[in-house]
Amino acid sequence: MVYLMLADGFEEIEALTPLDILRRAQIEVKTIGVTGKTVTGAHSIPVVADILLDDIVLEDMSAVILPGGMPGTLNLEKSANVQSFIDYAVENNLIIGAICAAPSILGHKGILQGKTAVCYDGFETQLFGAKIGSTAVCRDGNIITAVGAGAALQFGLELTKAFSGDAQSNKIKESMKCTQ
């Protein structure tokens, strides 16, 4: 199960675009309400999460996705539960996706040490130990990072590729008439 974390102030495009793409690819994803069942995005769009933090079954986790946005990133980072889920993902070599400001959470935890990663402009200093990439989306092993809302589609396709391979990612890209 892919768990996509939603905290008040999340960037809507960075959460909902990858969610849509993954579900089109028939990858099982649940949105997690970190700050409640209804989570309000950075642009005042309320989203009803599939489940709450207490409903997560760690043994079912195949990935954790962290959308950025402010103060969404800060709200994710201050959650002890989110921190535990990230730790579990690291310990079990699961996919971790983070976009925009959210890679800073991974940087603060030391997870990006020696990895190539990207983030929203100005957060590079928070990616402790990372090599800063030059592409909009970057995959280094099981860590997938992206620069921001404009890369949400590519981020979703890269996540799809990580779970289902190039063929499925390309199929979704073609069906959506992606030009990039």
Side-chain angles (χ1 to χ4, degrees):
M1 175 74 62
V2 176
Y3 291 127
L4 193 152
M5 304 293 164
L6 299 176
D8 284 333
F10 73 96
E11 176 62 52
E12 293 92 341
I13 290 173
E14 296 169 1
L16 300 179
T17 299
L19 173 65
D20 179 280
I21 291 168
L22 291 167
R23 287 190 175 168
R24 285 173 192 255
Q26 299 181 340
I27 297 166
E28 197 170 2
V29 183
K30 295 271 187 206
T31 56
I32 311 304
V34 173
T35 52
K37 184 73 171 170
T38 299
V39 186
T40 303
H43 301 97
S44 303
I45 301 171
V47 174
V48 178
D50 296 320
I51 61 176
L52 295 170
L53 288 168
D54 293 341
D55 301 321
I56 289 179
V57 178
L58 279 178
E59 296 77 24
D60 292 344
M61 182 189 299
S62 59
V64 61
I65 301 173
L66 308 169
M70 283 297 174
T73 296
L74 300 175
N75 289 331
L76 288 175
E77 188 163 25
K78 73 181 180 184
S79 167
N81 286 327
V82 171
Q83 294 287 338
S84 293
F85 302 143
I86 295 169
D87 293 341
Y88 181 85
V90 169
E91 291 164 10
N92 291 280
N93 203 33
L94 305 178
I95 297 291
I96 302 171
I99 184 170
C100 192
S104 67
I105 299 169
L106 307 180
H108 296 156
K109 293 180 75 59
I111 295 168
L112 300 177
Q113 189 71 35
K115 300 263 188 190
T116 302
V118 295
C119 60
Y120 192 77
D121 294 345
F123 283 87
E124 295 86 358
T125 60
Q126 303 302 304
L127 306 187
F128 304 138
K131 297 176 233 165
I132 305 303
S134 59
T135 57
V137 177
C138 181
R139 180 173 183 188
D140 190 332
N142 64 322
I143 306 291
I144 301 170
T145 55
V147 297
L153 181 68
Q154 289 173 268
F155 181 60
L157 291 168
E158 189 64 33
L159 288 163
T160 299
K161 190 184 300 183
F163 293 110
S164 299
D166 287 332
Q168 181 68 348
S169 181
N170 289 334
K171 180 180 174 185
I172 297 301
K173 185 176 178 179
E174 288 174 27
S175 74
M176 294 177 67
K177 304 297 182 200
C178 296
T179 57
Q180 293 182 346

